[in-house]
Coordinates of all heavy atoms in Angstrom, one line a residue:
V381 N -19.6 14.4 20.3 CA -18.7 13.4 21.0 C -19.4 12.1 21.2 O -18.7 11.0 21.0 CB -18.3 14.0 22.4 CG1 -17.5 13.0 23.2 CG2 -17.4 15.2 22.2
G382 N -20.6 12.1 21.5 CA -21.4 10.8 21.6 C -21.5 10.1 20.3 O -21.3 8.9 20.3
A383 N -21.6 10.9 19.2 CA -21.7 10.3 17.9 C -20.3 9.6 17.5 O -20.3 8.6 16.9 CB -22.1 11.3 16.8
A384 N -19.3 10.3 17.9 CA -17.9 9.7 17.7 C -17.7 8.4 18.4 O -17.1 7.5 17.9 CB -16.8 10.8 18.1
I385 N -18.1 8.4 19.7 CA -18.0 7.1 20.5 C -18.8 6.0 19.8 O -18.4 4.9 19.7 CB -18.5 7.4 21.9 CG1 -17.6 8.4 22.6 CG2 -18.6 6.0 22.7 CD1 -18.1 8.8 24.0
A386 N -20.0 6.4 19.3 CA -20.9 5.4 18.6 C -20.2 4.8 17.4 O -20.3 3.6 17.0 CB -22.2 6.0 18.3
T387 N -19.5 5.7 16.6 CA -18.8 5.3 15.4 C -17.7 4.3 15.7 O -17.6 3.2 15.0 CB -18.2 6.5 14.7 OG1 -19.2 7.4 14.3 CG2 -17.4 6.1 13.4
V388 N -16.9 4.6 16.7 CA -15.8 3.6 17.1 C -16.4 2.3 17.5 O -16.0 1.2 17.1 CB -15.0 4.2 18.2 CG1 -13.9 3.2 18.6 CG2 -14.3 5.5 17.7
A389 N -17.5 2.3 18.4 CA -18.1 1.1 18.9 C -18.7 0.3 17.8 O -18.6 -0.9 17.7 CB -19.2 1.5 19.9
S390 N -19.3 1.0 16.8 CA -20.0 0.2 15.7 C -18.9 -0.5 14.8 O -19.1 -1.6 14.4 CB -20.8 1.2 14.8 OG -20.0 2.1 14.2
Y391 N -17.8 0.2 14.5 CA -16.8 -0.5 13.7 C -16.2 -1.6 14.4 O -15.8 -2.7 13.8 CB -15.7 0.5 13.2 CG -16.1 1.3 12.0 CD1 -16.3 2.7 12.1 CD2 -16.4 0.7 10.8 CE1 -16.7 3.5 11.0 CE2 -16.7 1.5 9.7 CZ -16.9 2.8 9.8 OH -17.3 3.6 8.7
M392 N -15.9 -1.5 15.7 CA -15.4 -2.6 16.5 C -16.4 -3.8 16.5 O -15.9 -4.9 16.4 CB -15.1 -2.1 17.9 CG -13.9 -1.2 18.0 SD -12.4 -2.0 17.4 CE -12.2 -3.4 18.4
S393 N -17.6 -3.5 16.5 CA -18.7 -4.5 16.5 C -18.6 -5.3 15.2 O -18.8 -6.5 15.1 CB -20.1 -3.9 16.7 OG -20.1 -3.3 17.9
V394 N -18.5 -4.6 14.1 CA -18.4 -5.2 12.8 C -17.2 -6.2 12.7 O -17.3 -7.3 12.2 CB -18.3 -4.2 11.6 CG1 -18.1 -4.8 10.3 CG2 -19.6 -3.3 11.6
Y395 N -16.1 -5.7 13.1 CA -14.9 -6.5 13.1 C -15.0 -7.7 13.9 O -14.7 -8.9 13.5 CB -13.7 -5.7 13.5 CG -12.4 -6.5 13.6 CD1 -11.8 -7.0 12.5 CD2 -11.8 -6.8 14.9 CE1 -10.6 -7.7 12.6 CE2 -10.7 -7.6 15.0 CZ -10.1 -8.0 13.8 OH -8.9 -8.8 13.9
S396 N -15.6 -7.6 15.1 CA -15.8 -8.7 16.1 C -16.7 -9.7 15.5 O -16.5 -11.0 15.6 CB -16.3 -8.2 17.4 OG -15.4 -7.3 18.0
M397 N -17.8 -9.3 14.8 CA -18.8 -10.2 14.2 C -18.2 -11.0 13.1 O -18.5 -12.1 12.8 CB -20.0 -9.5 13.8 CG -20.9 -9.0 15.0 SD -21.5 -10.4 16.0 CE -22.5 -11.3 14.8
M398 N -17.3 -10.3 12.3 CA -16.6 -11.0 11.2 C -15.8 -12.2 11.7 O -15.7 -13.2 11.1 CB -15.7 -10.0 10.4 CG -16.5 -9.1 9.5 SD -15.4 -8.1 8.5 CE -16.6 -7.2 7.5
L399 N -15.2 -12.0 12.9 CA -14.4 -13.1 13.5 C -15.3 -14.2 14.0 O -15.1 -15.4 13.8 CB -13.6 -12.6 14.7 CG -12.5 -11.5 14.3 CD1 -11.7 -11.2 15.6 CD2 -11.5 -12.0 13.3
L400 N -16.4 -13.8 14.7 CA -17.3 -14.8 15.3 C -18.1 -15.6 14.2 O -18.3 -16.8 14.4 CB -18.3 -14.1 16.2 CG -17.8 -13.5 17.5 CD1 -18.8 -12.7 18.2 CD2 -17.2 -14.6 18.4
L401 N -18.4 -15.0 13.1 CA -19.2 -15.6 12.1 C -18.4 -16.5 11.1 O -19.0 -17.3 10.3 CB -20.0 -14.6 11.3 CG -21.1 -13.8 12.0 CD1 -21.7 -12.7 11.2 CD2 -22.2 -14.8 12.5
D402 N -17.1 -16.4 11.2 CA -16.3 -17.2 10.3 C -16.1 -18.6 10.8 O -15.2 -18.8 11.7 CB -14.9 -16.5 10.1 CG -14.0 -17.2 9.2 OD1 -14.5 -18.0 8.3 OD2 -12.7 -17.1 9.3
T403 N -16.8 -19.5 10.3 CA -16.8 -20.9 10.8 C -15.5 -21.6 10.5 O -15.1 -22.6 11.1 CB -18.0 -21.7 10.3 OG1 -18.0 -21.6 8.8 CG2 -19.3 -21.1 10.8
T404 N -14.8 -21.1 9.5 CA -13.5 -21.8 9.1 C -12.4 -21.4 10.1 O -11.4 -22.2 10.2 CB -13.0 -21.3 7.7 OG1 -12.7 -19.9 7.8 CG2 -14.1 -21.5 6.7
G405 N -12.6 -20.4 10.9 CA -11.5 -20.0 11.8 C -10.4 -19.2 11.2 O -9.4 -18.8 11.9
C406 N -10.4 -19.0 9.9 CA -9.3 -18.4 9.2 C -9.1 -16.9 9.6 O -8.0 -16.5 9.9 CB -9.6 -18.4 7.7 SG -8.3 -17.7 6.7
N407 N -10.2 -16.2 9.8 CA -10.1 -14.8 10.2 C -9.5 -14.7 11.6 O -8.7 -13.7 11.8 CB -11.4 -14.1 10.1 CG -11.9 -13.8 8.7 OD1 -11.1 -13.9 7.8 ND2 -13.2 -13.6 8.5
W408 N -9.9 -15.6 12.5 CA -9.3 -15.5 13.8 C -7.8 -15.9 13.8 O -7.0 -15.2 14.5 CB -10.1 -16.5 14.7 CG -9.5 -16.7 16.1 CD1 -9.0 -17.8 16.6 CD2 -9.5 -15.7 17.1 NE1 -8.6 -17.5 17.9 CE2 -8.8 -16.2 18.2 CE3 -9.9 -14.3 17.1 CZ2 -8.6 -15.5 19.4 CZ3 -9.7 -13.6 18.3 CH2 -9.0 -14.2 19.4
Q409 N -7.4 -16.9 13.0 CA -6.0 -17.2 12.9 C -5.2 -16.1 12.4 O -4.1 -15.8 12.9 CB -5.8 -18.5 12.1 CG -6.4 -19.8 12.7 CD -5.8 -20.1 14.0 OE1 -4.6 -20.0 14.2 NE2 -6.6 -20.6 14.9
L410 N -5.7 -15.4 11.4 CA -5.0 -14.3 10.8 C -4.9 -13.1 11.8 O -3.8 -12.5 11.9 CB -5.7 -13.8 9.5 CG -5.7 -14.7 8.3 CD1 -6.6 -14.2 7.2 CD2 -4.3 -14.9 7.8
S411 N -6.0 -12.9 12.5 CA -6.0 -11.8 13.5 C -5.1 -12.0 14.7 O -4.5 -11.0 15.2 CB -7.4 -11.6 14.0 OG -8.3 -11.2 13.0

Side-chain angles (χ1 to χ4, degrees):
V381 170
I385 294 170
T387 298
V388 177
S390 65
Y391 278 117
M392 287 302 301
S393 300
V394 173
Y395 175 71
S396 300
M397 287 302 294
M398 284 185 180
L399 297 182
L400 291 173
L401 294 172
D402 180 25
T403 56
T404 67
C406 179
N407 286 343
W408 175 246
Q409 292 301 320
L410 292 173
S411 296

